[in-house]
Amino acid sequence: MSDIARLWPHPDTAPLDDEALTELYAHRTEPDLRVNFVTSVDGAVELEGFSEGLSGGSDGPDKRVFGLLRMLCDALVVGAGTLRHEGYRALRLDQRRRAWRMARGLSEYPTLVVVSGALELNPAQAAFADAPVRPIVVTHGRAPADRRALLEPVADVLAVGDDGVDLSTALARLRERGLAHLLSEGGPHLFGALLAEDLVDDVCLTISPLVTGPGAGRIVAGAPTPPKNFTLRHTLIADGALLTRYGLDR
Ligand SMILES: NC(=O)c1ccc[n+]([C@@H]2O[C@H](COP(=O)([O-])OP(=O)(O)OC[C@H]3O[C@@H](n4cnc5c(N)ncnc54)[C@H](OP(=O)(O)O)[C@@H]3O)[C@@H](O)[C@H]2O)c1
C-alpha cells in the first residue's frame, strides 16, 4: 500500500493512516454530492479507453482513496456509460469497511444508483444481478417501457422528468430515501449535467504523474456551463500523484 502524505495545508511528510484520511475526506455538509475522478497531467479522462491506466494499479493511492470514498457515502451515483464501459461489478466493501459503517449507524453497503435515459442496461451485469443492496436506476417518463420492465426485477426504477432526467428532483428523491451523502464516479457526461444544475458540492481529483498525449476527453463533457469557483480543501501526495479535494462554498 502506498504512503500518502499531506502537502497542503500543514505539510507533513509522515504517512497518513486510515483514520487521518477518513477525517480529511469526511462529508462536511448534509446532504451533499461529491464527484471523484482521476486524470493525467494533461487532462485525459482515460488511457486506452479506461480510467484504470490512470489510477496506477489496485494498490495505488488513487484506488485507496477511491475505496475510502465509497465507504463514506450513502449512495454511489454513476452514469450508464461508465457502468457499461467500465464493467461495474456489485458494489461491495470489505469486512473492515462494512464494520466501520455499521458502527456509525450507516447501512452495511452503499446503494448503487445508475442514471440512464435510454435504459440500455443489462440486468445480468453483476452490478445489478449480484448487488448486496437493490440498486436504483434513475430515468425519465419516456424511457422505453420494455427495457424498464427488464430492469424492474433487479432494481428500483425511478422516472423523474418527462422526457429527460430531472437530476435535481432525482437527488431529492434519493434524499427522501435517506441517501444524504452521494458520491459520483462520473462519468464525464453525468458530471457535466450535474454541474449544469449546480448540484456538485465537492470534487475529489487525482492527478496521476502521466502525460498521455492527445486523444482522450476530459473529466467533464456535454453542453458548456459557466465557470464556478471551488475552494481547495487539501492536496495530498503519493508516488508522484496529487490527490486533491475541492469544495464549493455555498
Ligand atoms: N478518469 C475517471 O475517473 C473516469 C471516471 C468515469 C468514467 N471515465 C471514462 O469516461 C468514459 C465514459 O464517458 P461517458 O461520458 O460516456 O460516461 P457517463 O457520463 O457515465 O455516461 C453517459 C451516459 O450516462 C447516461 N447519462 C449521463 N448523464 C445523464 C443525464 N443527465 N440524463 C440521462 N442520462 C444520463 C446516459 O446513458 P444512456 O445512454 O443509457 O441514456 C449517457 O449516454 C469511459 O472512457 C470511462 O472510462 C473515467
Side-chain angles (χ1 to χ4, degrees):
M1 192 172 67
S2 314
D3 284 346
I4 301 180
R6 181 161 38 203
L7 213 51
W8 189 91
H10 318 303
D12 187 350
T13 52
L16 293 159
D17 61 17
D18 284 345
E19 198 180 335
L21 278 177
T22 303
E23 174 60 25
L24 279 166
Y25 284 99
H27 290 268
R28 307 243 181 256
T29 56
E30 182 154 350
D32 68 345
L33 185 138
R34 161 182 285 166
V35 170
N36 182 37
F37 274 93
V38 59
T39 182
S40 64
V41 169
D42 52 344
V45 73
E46 44 86 1
L47 183 61
E48 294 171 353
F50 298 93
S51 58
E52 186 69 28
L54 300 172
S55 275
S58 56
D59 287 344
D62 178 62
K63 277 294 192 275
R64 189 170 165 201
V65 170
F66 180 92
L68 177 71
L69 298 188
R70 285 186 168 191
M71 179 185 82
L72 293 171
C73 72
D74 295 317
L76 173 63
V77 184
V78 70
T82 295
L83 182 99
R84 285 188 295 253
H85 186 76
E86 298 257 341
Y88 268 49
R89 291 182 294 194
L91 178 49
R92 293 187 180 279
L93 304 176
D94 64 25
Q95 169 57 34
R96 188 176 52 90
R97 288 187 164 146
R98 297 202 312 271
W100 185 94
R101 289 174 65 85
M102 289 190 291
R104 285 153 187 84
L106 304 178
S107 59
E108 188 172 7
Y109 297 95
T111 302
L112 176 69
V113 178
V114 182
V115 181
S116 174
L119 292 187
E120 280 185 17
L121 298 165
N122 179 2
Q125 184 170 343
F128 295 114
D130 190 29
V133 177
R134 193 171 159 81
I136 298 170
V137 174
V138 172
T139 190
H140 56 83
R142 293 206 184 161
D146 54 341
R147 293 194 190 135
R148 183 176 170 151
L150 287 175
L151 287 164
E152 276 169 344
V154 292
D156 287 356
V157 182
L158 300 184
V160 275
D162 294 336
D163 52 8
V165 175
D166 175 345
L167 284 172
S168 180
T169 304
L171 298 198
R173 297 276 295 275
L174 296 177
R175 283 156 183 164
E176 283 163 18
R177 292 172 168 234
L179 304 174
H181 298 302
L182 306 177
L183 167 67
S184 177
E185 294 173 357
H189 281 93
L190 180 58
F191 186 22
L194 291 166
L195 279 175
E197 296 196 35
D198 196 19
L199 296 171
V200 178
D201 300 292
D202 212 45
V203 178
C204 294
L205 178 68
T206 298
I207 302 160
S208 284
L210 280 171
V211 176
T212 61
R218 294 171 50 203
I219 64 170
V220 68
T225 52
K228 280 186 186 64
N229 280 314
F230 278 69
T231 302
L232 181 63
R233 305 280 193 232
H234 69 235
T235 303
L236 313 179
I237 184 163
D239 300 344
L242 299 177
L243 301 128
T244 66
R245 176 180 179 182
Y246 292 86
L248 196 60
D249 297 317
R250 295 210 183 259

